[in-house]
Amino acid sequence: MSETSVRGDLEWGTTPRLLHSSAERFSAREAIVDVSDGRTLSFAGLATAVHDAARAFLATGIERGDRVAIWAPNVWEWIVAALGLQSAGAVLVPLNTRFKGREAAYILGKSRAKALVTITGFLDTEYVALLGEAVDVGTELPDLEAIVVLRGDAPAGTRAWAAFLDAGSGVDSSLADARAQAVEPSDLSDILFTSGTTGNPKGAMLTHAQTLRAYRDWSDVVGLQEHDRYLIVNPFFHAFGYKAGWLASLMMGATVLPQAVFDPAQVFERIPRDRITVLPGPPTLYQTILNHPGRRDHDLSSLRLSVTGAAPTPVELIVRMRDELTFETIITGYGLTESCGIATMCRYDDDPETIANTSGRAIPGVEVQVVDDDGREVPRGEAGEVVIRGYNVMRGYLDEPDETAATIDADGWLHTGDVGVMDDRGYLRITDRTKDMFIVGGFNAYPAEIENLFLRNEKVAQVAVVGVPDERMGEVGMAFVVLRPEAEASADELVEWGRAEMANYKAPR
């Protein structure tokens, strides 16, 4: 492992201590610039805002180890709320902004979330209303004691962010400081839910120390720098936007510029105006930028660092990114939610073929092997299942001992369900999946979960979902449906029903 990763882990240990360190190291420099409401926070100002949020969570009755969910797009308040609840000793549970009410309710119930932090009026989506339409919150989510609205009108039974913070002013600052100091590196920092072949999402439990060590190494490998300006298009509910996004920026002193929705025209305007240097994303993001007719009308020369992955990356795309854009560094990687979102990475000086055709080699302190059905490592160049062992492997799935035992073996190897080939350099190429899954624009879609959701339709008797190729998204879902006797439904009707009932990346096209 690298010297810097050890130093970073021992120096900070927890996100509250990292926040304190960053406020001292970078002080008046810009930590967050959110153009959606014109708010700019310095690193010192971010620490103050987080302290106030932590006091508010204490006033709400949040205890150490409680779970708090955030269901909101990329806005500055998301970061303040996340760091605030972690400073109060709570565990972050991010919710996908594409979720419908029932999908969100399942995770709120499974995690026994004590509070939900959300938003109203975002892209005509009312998250509180979605939840209320799907379940009886009072009876079906008995642990959920508070709903706080970051932006927009606060419906009945919820509290506006400003009122939430006002309530925290009655909590002595020393109590909030003491709670933050009491957080241990081995405490859970977050529970990230990931779907799977069993049909219901599972919560991967990850600690402060794991996350900080992994993303200090990530930052070192990609070369994230103190004066970088990082446009975060990847959603905060995903490890790519959260851990490889604003958390890595907090470590290294980079400025975070949240982007709530990827709109090419907006991004083209923001790059020169906001002097963007870092723009990670899935391959579809770069394909959209490169093929957009308005690209040449804008100065994109400030861009220097890109990080991609989560889906196959054509060699030609890497070549075009280097030749037609100004990226000095293009890095691909591989990881799972269960491995802190990271396991292997390319390096800055790898050639385009290596970057496009492999997911890099193991990060420091982590072992990656390709094994046969008996768990024996196969010779280099032969295919087998990818397994991971190291500090980055999750504690386990929340309240799922059997699922945990089926995923992490007795020797500590995390079985990914991905099929890969490793070359003589230790570089990994993912070739297939043993798990029943397809990838839509960088998001994992699991047929079993989609089929379970589809069977809620009163006209559907049986359904099977598979992934099919799509030029823009990589893959999309196709559903084969048997209707119930006497029922009638067109393909278009079922597609529209799916879009209304599940996150758009899951919905069959």
Side-chain angles (χ1 to χ4, degrees):
M1 71 191 76
S2 70
E3 180 183 344
T4 52
S5 68
V6 174
R7 186 176 66 246
D9 181 35
L10 295 177
E11 178 183 354
W12 303 320
T14 68
T15 54
R17 292 176 201 168
L18 166 63
L19 177 67
H20 178 75
S21 168
S22 297
E24 288 189 335
R25 286 180 291 145
F26 310 120
S27 190
R29 290 199 42 245
E30 290 178 336
I32 306 174
V33 177
D34 191 339
V35 299
S36 67
D37 73 344
R39 181 62 63 95
T40 295
L41 287 174
S42 67
F43 283 89
L46 173 61
T48 299
V50 168
H51 180 75
D52 291 342
R55 293 168 71 192
F57 281 114
L58 264 62
T60 306
I62 295 299
E63 300 290 344
R64 185 173 173 181
D66 283 343
R67 289 77 186 257
V68 178
I70 302 181
W71 194 14
N74 294 8
V75 292
W76 67 268
E77 297 98 327
W78 205 111
I79 301 172
V80 171
L83 290 168
L85 70 90
Q86 289 177 336
S87 294
V91 182
L92 169 65
V93 181
L95 295 180
N96 192 319
T97 53
R98 295 166 173 79
F99 278 170
K100 304 304 181 184
R102 191 165 295 279
E103 294 168 301
Y106 177 83
I107 291 177
L108 290 169
K110 179 71 174 180
S111 65
R112 300 186 298 280
K114 196 169 181 178
L116 168 64
V117 179
T118 187
I119 199 168
T120 60
F122 173 67
L123 294 179
D124 298 323
T125 301
E126 301 291 341
Y127 292 121
V128 177
L130 275 179
L131 188 63
E133 290 164 5
V135 297
D136 184 327
V137 175
T139 57
E140 295 184 61
L141 297 174
D143 297 298
L144 188 61
E145 297 178 1
I147 298 178
V148 180
V149 178
L150 293 173
R151 293 188 188 181
D153 296 331
T158 71
R159 195 182 320 171
W161 181 245
F164 171 73
L165 294 176
D166 284 345
S169 62
V171 174
D172 192 284
S173 286
S174 63
L175 294 178
D177 289 336
R179 181 71 70 85
Q181 286 297 316
V183 177
E184 295 289 342
S186 59
D187 288 347
L188 294 184
S189 59
D190 47 71
I191 302 173
L192 302 184
F193 275 79
T194 177
S195 299
T197 56
T198 56
N200 285 321
K202 302 184 292 292
M205 299 184 291
L206 300 157
T207 70
H208 287 265
Q210 288 178 296
T211 295
L212 292 177
R213 180 172 169 187
Y215 285 91
R216 177 57 189 255
D217 279 352
W218 182 93
S219 299
D220 287 344
V221 170
V222 303
L224 187 63
Q225 298 172 3
E226 181 175 332
H227 294 284
D228 272 323
R229 296 177 66 81
Y230 188 156
L231 184 65
I232 304 185
V233 176
N234 299 311
F236 288 172
F237 63 74
H238 192 282
F240 208 171
Y242 158 30
K243 299 186 180 188
W246 59 260
L247 188 64
S249 299
L250 184 62
M251 290 183 194
M252 307 307 290
T255 300
V256 169
L257 296 101
Q259 176 76 20
V261 177
F262 176 60
D263 179 302
Q266 286 183 9
V267 170
F268 289 151
E269 291 177 3
R270 292 197 68 178
I271 290 170
R273 186 188 70 210
D274 297 329
R275 307 183 308 284
I276 302 301
T277 61
V278 182
L279 181 61
T284 51
L285 180 143
Y286 303 109
Q287 288 170 334
T288 300
I289 289 175
L290 285 164
N291 297 327
H292 197 281
R295 171 171 66 90
R296 300 187 187 279
D297 298 331
H298 299 274
D299 179 9
L300 309 182
S301 61
S302 61
L303 294 174
R304 71 164 198 89
L305 171 61
S306 99
V307 183
T308 191
T313 308
V315 176
E316 181 59 27
L317 176 62
I318 302 298
V319 173
R320 289 189 66 193
M321 288 170 67
R322 284 194 167 169
D323 291 350
E324 299 179 38
L325 300 173
T326 58
F327 289 117
E328 301 168 10
T329 303
I330 303 170
I331 288 178
T332 50
Y334 165 75
L336 299 84
T337 302
E338 293 89 340
S339 68
C340 282
I342 183 174
T344 66
M345 295 179 70
C346 285
R347 302 312 197 254
Y348 73 92
D349 54 353
D350 286 332
D351 59 81
E353 287 73 21
T354 296
I355 294 170
N357 291 324
T358 81
S359 297
R361 51 190 166 87
I363 61 172
V366 171
E367 298 174 85
V368 178
Q369 289 186 358
V370 177
V371 302
D372 61 20
D373 291 341
D374 296 320
R376 292 188 296 262
E377 187 172 12
V378 301
R380 296 294 169 96
E382 292 189 12
E385 185 185 13
V386 179
V387 294
I388 301 166
R389 183 168 66 181
Y391 72 86
N392 61 330
V393 173
M394 65 173 180
R395 285 273 191 86
Y397 292 121
L398 175 67
D399 297 333
E400 298 280 0
D402 292 341
E403 288 285 343
T404 299
T407 304
I408 304 174
D409 66 27
D411 294 320
W413 289 102
L414 171 69
H415 288 255
T416 67
D418 291 322
V419 177
V421 175
M422 187 174 287
D423 66 19
D424 290 335
R425 303 173 299 164
Y427 278 70
L428 179 69
R429 178 166 56 92
I430 303 299
T431 60
D432 202 354
R433 291 182 289 272
T434 61
K435 291 181 178 178
D436 194 10
M437 179 187 82
F438 54 96
I439 300 176
V440 183
F443 290 97
N444 294 349
Y446 291 86
E449 181 189 8
I450 298 168
E451 290 159 2
N452 280 355
L453 291 167
F454 235 100
L455 288 172
R456 299 181 62 82
N457 186 312
E458 59 186 15
K459 296 183 178 181
V460 174
Q462 299 178 56
V463 59
V465 175
V466 299
V468 295
D470 181 82
E471 184 175 352
R472 189 173 75 88
M473 304 302 290
E475 294 175 286
V476 296
M478 175 182 281
F480 295 82
V481 176
V482 176
L483 297 176
R484 296 184 188 184
E486 312 302 325
E488 294 183 3
S490 68
D492 288 345
E493 177 187 339
L494 292 174
V495 166
E496 288 304 313
W497 185 91
R499 287 176 174 164
E501 293 295 321
M502 62 188 81
N504 60 358
Y505 68 92
K506 299 178 190 175
R509 307 295 169 97

